[in-house]
């Protein structure tokens, strides 16, 4: 075994090898252990190597030995994958210099081929408010580097698959990066956007966005709305087994990023902006898409929801038009 | 602060047809007998879904109509548009779409250069300027993630402490010099600007992302390049 990889299969993680239960409530390590094949995960730059933020101590802030993101290699349904999982409990999953560099390195590793073999996919388990303000400039730069590295992995034919179902949602620059990847898998509890509700409220007041109105937040940015619009490829219940099987189906199916693909996406997004230009609430969009009782959408279980949402998405049209 | 017209006049010594139309700068300029496509924003634009799509349309038009022509992005943005409607409609998808258009242009051999000529902030900078092969800035441009007083409120750290720290590190404070030290901005453009652009155009297209390496060389980011290289080169587990 190489000096820079340690086996991370300790007793605590083993307890989470049951591929069932809430995704939302788990830590980054528990999510990885439960998502991948049993005992298949090896961590790169594990906590024992102490790659901590060099900046947080200057502000009197505590550090994490993994800087809030766990990366490594493993298998999913037998297929080799690379994986990164942001730790929700450490500074809101925010991206600092080291945190970002770990994800960049992982994506570059995927693009270059691990031991000359392309992995079947890179899984990004994003759970983040965005840039870590304590190291803001490095965080923003790192997110741009992640974006570049995503495009390089895609150009190498390695699909990058984003999983969103954590308590922080997926906001800021990584909310943009998510849509630069091949696939987005989201749970109903997941949220995906650039600007968070608090940021919008702080800038333009509670009349523009009441950040405490949870129903409004989920209608506007939540998994169901993103799925109806076609900005999420799969929606799953908050269950690790559901995330696992959805991710497994997407492995080995890269979406080539071609001029034709972005032109199709361009037409699709233009049509969306025109069609919904006067909508002020998600229920108006859902209604315009032919959903009979839009106010019931937030209450539906995933099976019932998927049925009506797929009809609204015109059976795969949204999917085919994404680049 | 330079306005976009003066900027273009100086970059192309007057030989350009860049115009402002519907909130978007577009056109082309000639330098050293070579045509350069221009797209950009002005008046500290907030980049929302609509503006992102207009910019993307201009990038796609260049790729279709002028294969291989270098693209210069002129950056002046206060950040992404902060609004309920933009998030409802999927600003992240539209900003990502703009990024994908630039990525496809790069793949097809277009050289991508951006210059921050006024202001660049956070998500707007990410979507428009930072995806270039190299990002440049004019001397008195402003680049930031967040102003320090706002940062102090959000992080609950005293403003004095943040200001003190900014004297010794490039990692969090506003300022072009900080982003140069981090490797995020390649260089600062000083007069004559046409010479700066000509020199940037001489560099080969489609190179690797060298920002982390530059940040290490310049001392602005002491950890990123080392960590990235360790992860990239780490041997296969047994």
């Amino acid at each position: 075994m190489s000096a820079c990889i340690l086996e991370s299969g300790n007793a605590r993680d083993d307890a989470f090898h049951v591929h069932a239960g809430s995704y939302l409530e788990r830590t980054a390590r528990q999510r990885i252990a439960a998502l991948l094949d049993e005992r298949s995960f090896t961590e790169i730059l594990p906590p024992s190597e102490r790659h901590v933020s060099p900046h947080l101590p200057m502000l009197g802030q505590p550090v994490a030995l993994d800087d809030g993101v766990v990366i490594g290699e493993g298998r999913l349904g037998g297929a080799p994958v690379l994986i990164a999982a942001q730790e929700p409990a450490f500074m809101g999953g925010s991206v600092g210099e080291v945190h970002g560099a770990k994800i960049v390195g992982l994506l570059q590793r995927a693009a270059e081929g691990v031991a000359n073999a392309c992995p079947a996919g890179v899984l990004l388990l994003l759970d983040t408010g965005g840039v870590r303000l304590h190291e803001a400039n490095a965080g923003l730069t790192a997110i741009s580097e992640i974006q570049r590295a995503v495009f390089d992995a895609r150009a190498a034919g390695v699909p990058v698959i984003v999983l969103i179902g954590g308590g922080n949602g997926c906001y800021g620059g990584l909310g943009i990066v998510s849509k630069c990847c091949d696939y987005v898998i989201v749970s109903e509890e997941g949220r995906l956007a650039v600007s968070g509700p608090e940021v919008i409220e702080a800038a333009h007041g509670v009349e523009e966005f009441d950040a405490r109105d949870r129903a409004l937040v989920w209608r506007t940015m939540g998994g169901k709305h993103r799925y109806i619009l076609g900005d999420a490829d799969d929606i799953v219940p908050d269950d690790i087994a559901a995330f696992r099987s959805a991710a497994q189906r997407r492995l080995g199916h890269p979406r080539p990023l071609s001029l034709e693909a972005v032109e199709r996406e361009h037409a699709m997004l233009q049509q969306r902006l025109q069609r919904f230009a006067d909508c002020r609430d998600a229920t108006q969009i859902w209604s315009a898409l032919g959903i009979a009782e839009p106010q019931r959408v937030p209450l539906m279980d995933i099976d019932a929801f998927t049925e009506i949402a797929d009809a609204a998405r015109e059976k795969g049209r949204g999917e085919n038009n994404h680049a | 602060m330079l306005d976009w017209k003066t900027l273009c006049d100086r970059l192309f010594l007057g030989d350009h047809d860049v115009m402002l139309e519907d909130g978007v700068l577009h056109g082309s300029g000639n330098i050293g007998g070579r045509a350069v496509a221009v797209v950009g924003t002005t008046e500290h634009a907030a980049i929302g879904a609509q503006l992102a799509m207009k910019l993307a349309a201009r990038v796609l038009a260049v790729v279709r109509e002028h294969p291989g022509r270098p693209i210069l992005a002129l950056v002046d943005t206060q950040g992404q548009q902060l609004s309920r409607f933009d998030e409802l409609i999927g600003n992240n998808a539209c900003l990502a779409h703009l990024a994908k258009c630039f990525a496809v242009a790069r793949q097809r051999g277009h050289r991508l250069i951006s210059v921050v000529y006024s202001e660049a902030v956070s998500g707007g900078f990410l979507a428009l300027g930072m995806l270039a092969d190299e990002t440049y800035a004019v001397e008195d441009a402003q680049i930031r993630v967040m102003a320090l007083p706002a940062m102090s409120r959000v992080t609950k750290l005293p403003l004095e402490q943040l200001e003190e720290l900014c004297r010794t590190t490039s990692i969090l404070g506003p300022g072009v010099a900080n982003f140069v030290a981090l490797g995020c901005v390649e260089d600062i453009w000083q007069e004559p600007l046409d010479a700066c652009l000509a020199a940037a155009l001489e560099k080969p297209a489609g190179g690797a992302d060298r920002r982390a390496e530059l940040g290490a060389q310049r001392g602005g980011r002491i950890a990123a390049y080392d960590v990235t290289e360790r992860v990239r080169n780490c041997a296969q587990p047994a």
Side-chain angles (χ1 to χ4, degrees):
Chain A
M1 173 175 301
S2 129
C4 61
I5 297 187
L6 279 189
E7 290 285 353
S8 73
N10 58 36
R12 195 190 57 175
D13 285 346
D14 284 354
F16 285 91
H17 264 306
V18 187
H19 302 301
S22 171
Y23 178 96
L24 178 74
E25 290 165 11
R26 288 184 164 149
T27 66
R29 284 197 164 66
Q30 290 165 351
R31 285 171 186 167
I32 289 176
L35 198 74
L36 298 184
D37 298 349
E38 204 165 329
R39 295 176 185 279
S40 73
F41 178 64
T42 48
E43 186 167 351
I44 300 175
L45 305 192
S48 58
E49 292 188 25
R50 296 179 164 265
H51 289 280
V52 301
S53 165
H55 313 295
L56 292 174
M58 292 190 288
L59 288 164
Q61 300 287 308
V63 297
L65 296 179
D66 52 21
D67 204 34
V69 65
V70 182
I71 61 166
E73 301 177 359
R75 291 187 176 271
L76 177 54
V81 295
L82 299 181
I83 189 167
Q86 295 181 305
E87 171 50 48
F90 183 67
M91 305 194 83
S94 60
V95 180
E97 178 175 350
V98 171
H99 181 121
K102 287 172 79 172
I103 301 174
V104 172
L106 190 80
L107 287 160
Q108 290 179 347
R109 192 174 169 86
E112 289 161 14
V114 183
N116 302 318
C118 271
V122 183
L123 307 179
L124 300 180
L125 283 56
L126 303 182
D127 194 346
T128 181
V131 166
R132 184 183 300 163
L133 288 177
H134 310 75
E135 15 190 315
N137 301 348
L140 183 66
T141 304
I143 289 174
S144 180
E145 289 168 335
I146 291 170
Q147 188 176 47
R148 261 302 275 285
V150 163
F151 289 133
D152 290 344
R154 292 189 65 176
V158 180
V160 184
I161 303 161
V162 174
L163 282 65
I164 300 170
N168 297 315
C170 180
Y171 285 102
L174 288 184
I176 302 172
V177 170
S178 291
K179 286 304 300 165
C180 294
C181 299
D182 294 71
Y183 299 103
V184 173
I185 302 169
V186 68
S187 71
E188 182 180 358
E189 288 76 2
R191 286 154 292 144
L192 172 60
V194 192
S195 311
E198 293 81 7
V199 179
I200 299 173
E201 186 183 313
H204 297 297
V206 70
E207 304 76 22
E208 173 71 14
F209 206 126
D210 182 353
R212 285 172 307 175
D213 184 344
R214 290 169 61 86
L216 172 66
V217 171
W218 259 266
R219 278 203 310 280
T220 309
M221 303 165 171
K224 281 179 171 169
H225 179 56
R226 293 300 178 225
Y227 183 75
I228 290 174
L229 277 184
D231 284 345
D233 299 284
D234 300 296
I235 186 160
V236 296
D238 175 35
D239 177 53
I240 205 103
F243 270 106
R244 179 180 151 91
S245 59
Q248 197 175 335
R249 277 197 303 276
R250 299 299 185 180
L251 293 179
H253 297 290
R255 277 184 174 157
L257 187 61
S258 62
L259 178 58
E260 295 69 32
V262 290
E263 283 182 326
R264 278 197 302 275
E265 179 175 83
H266 195 82
M268 180 273 294
L269 289 170
Q270 286 286 29
Q271 194 194 24
R272 179 194 296 182
L273 285 180
Q274 275 164 16
R275 189 169 180 186
F276 306 127
D278 298 325
C279 294
R280 286 294 167 268
D281 192 274
T283 49
Q284 293 171 297
I285 293 180
W286 303 342
S287 179
L289 283 167
I291 293 175
E293 295 178 277
Q295 71 282 3
R296 285 193 58 243
V297 164
L299 308 171
M300 288 178 172
D301 68 38
I302 289 297
D303 286 342
F305 167 75
T306 309
E307 201 171 307
I308 62 144
D310 284 354
R313 279 166 54 135
E314 295 166 288
K315 287 286 174 196
R317 262 195 70 213
E319 176 153 341
N320 290 337
N321 287 331
H322 275 265
Chain B
M1 200 70 68
L2 276 176
D3 66 85
W4 66 267
K5 217 165 181 348
T6 311
L7 172 76
C8 289
D9 286 346
R10 291 189 190 166
L11 285 172
F12 300 109
L13 299 176
D15 188 6
H16 69 86
D17 62 9
V18 178
M19 64 175 102
L20 174 63
E21 189 182 353
D22 207 11
V24 172
L25 298 174
H26 69 94
S28 64
N30 293 301
I31 180 164
R34 184 175 187 188
V36 176
V38 174
V39 295
T41 54
T42 186
E43 293 181 0
H44 315 317
I47 305 186
Q50 289 282 8
L51 182 53
M53 294 304 293
K54 288 178 198 170
L55 289 164
R58 293 294 169 190
V59 175
L60 288 176
V62 174
V63 174
R64 267 194 312 267
E65 292 158 24
H66 306 288
R69 181 177 282 188
I71 301 174
L72 173 67
L74 306 181
V75 183
D76 180 13
T77 170
Q78 59 178 279
Q80 76 272 15
Q81 177 79 264
L82 302 174
S83 88
R84 177 176 161 186
F85 174 77
D86 285 274
E87 294 306 336
L88 177 69
I89 209 78
N91 201 19
N92 66 322
C94 295
L95 293 171
H97 175 68
L98 176 58
K100 285 182 245 187
C101 292
F102 278 120
V104 164
R106 190 203 319 277
Q107 272 171 34
R108 296 168 72 94
H110 293 260
R111 179 129 168 74
L112 306 179
I113 297 169
S114 66
V115 57
V116 181
Y117 70 97
S118 172
E119 180 181 60
V121 182
S122 208
F125 187 30
L126 188 72
L128 184 58
M130 291 174 89
L131 203 80
D133 298 329
E134 288 119 30
T135 298
Y136 297 88
V138 301
E139 221 172 354
D140 57 352
Q142 301 290 322
I143 303 181
R144 66 180 175 278
V145 174
M146 193 181 272
L148 288 185
M151 201 179 272
S152 166
R153 278 197 302 278
V154 179
T155 60
K156 300 183 175 66
L157 293 166
L159 181 59
E160 302 70 35
Q161 191 184 4
L162 295 179
E163 285 170 343
E164 178 65 32
L165 193 61
C166 285
R167 281 192 269 277
T168 56
T169 175
S170 303
I171 222 72
L172 80 163
V176 170
N178 286 338
F179 285 84
V180 171
L182 261 54
C184 176
V185 170
E186 178 85 10
D187 207 353
I188 294 174
W189 280 1
Q190 290 166 314
E191 304 286 352
L193 295 180
D194 60 305
C196 297
L197 176 60
L201 287 167
E202 283 307 308
K203 298 190 181 180
D209 189 343
R210 289 191 60 238
R211 288 175 289 184
E213 193 180 351
L214 273 180
Q217 285 168 7
R218 295 171 179 176
R221 278 191 291 166
I222 51 180
Y225 186 58
D226 174 58
V227 167
T228 302
E229 288 301 291
R230 280 173 192 266
V231 177
R232 267 182 65 203
N233 300 321
C234 191
Q236 274 279 84

